[in-house]
Structures are given as structure tokens and as C-alpha cells.
Amino acid sequence: MTNLTRRPCQHVAQSHQPEPVLNCAQIALHLGRKPKTIRNWLREQVDSPKAFKDGNEWYVYQSELLRWEQGGN
């Protein structure tokens, strides 16, 4: 199959690299806090990295956490 006949969704599927995410427990371990504290902090979205919720769990992209730690929030 050449690039001319490849559908856009096939191109995205082949080129997409998923980005690692961290849950509250992993962030808590990294920052030396309790998971409940981290969950509340992410929910409030005040001076925190961008987070998203899936089901009952909050997640942060690893790159967002690193950017926030470096002061780029």
C-alpha cells in the first residue's frame, strides 16, 4: 500500500505514540504526599498540572507533570 492510498486513520494509527500518564498514587509517591491529597489538588485545578479524569481516577500526562515541576505551569 502506498502513501497515496493510505487512509488518514491508518496513518494516525501507525504514527501515534501514546504518552505515559500517572495516576494519583504514582504522583503521590513521586511528590511524597498521600493519594487523597493529590486527588483533591488535581480536582481543584489550582497551581496544579493539567489533569483529566477517567472513571473515578485522576490522571496527569508525565510531560505535564515535568513541565509543572519546572515552573512552566
Side-chain angles (χ1 to χ4, degrees):
M1 183 180 290
T2 66
N3 284 340
L4 296 176
T5 60
R6 186 184 307 174
R7 297 185 315 206
C9 60
Q10 291 172 318
H11 175 70
V12 170
Q14 290 177 346
S15 63
H16 178 69
Q17 296 294 321
E19 186 177 352
V21 295
L22 302 171
N23 64 21
C24 289
Q26 293 167 318
I27 297 168
L29 184 63
H30 178 71
L31 297 177
R33 303 288 181 151
K34 294 182 179 182
K36 186 174 181 180
T37 303
I38 298 299
R39 184 172 53 249
N40 290 337
W41 176 59
L42 294 176
R43 187 182 68 231
E44 292 171 1
Q45 292 290 304
V46 176
D47 188 34
S48 65
K50 293 179 187 174
F52 62 95
K53 190 173 182 182
D54 184 25
N56 288 331
E57 184 69 67
W58 285 92
Y59 296 94
V60 173
Y61 286 108
Q62 189 173 13
S63 63
E64 282 292 327
L65 182 62
L66 294 174
R67 187 177 303 125
W68 175 83
E69 288 181 322
Q70 294 171 355
N73 48 338

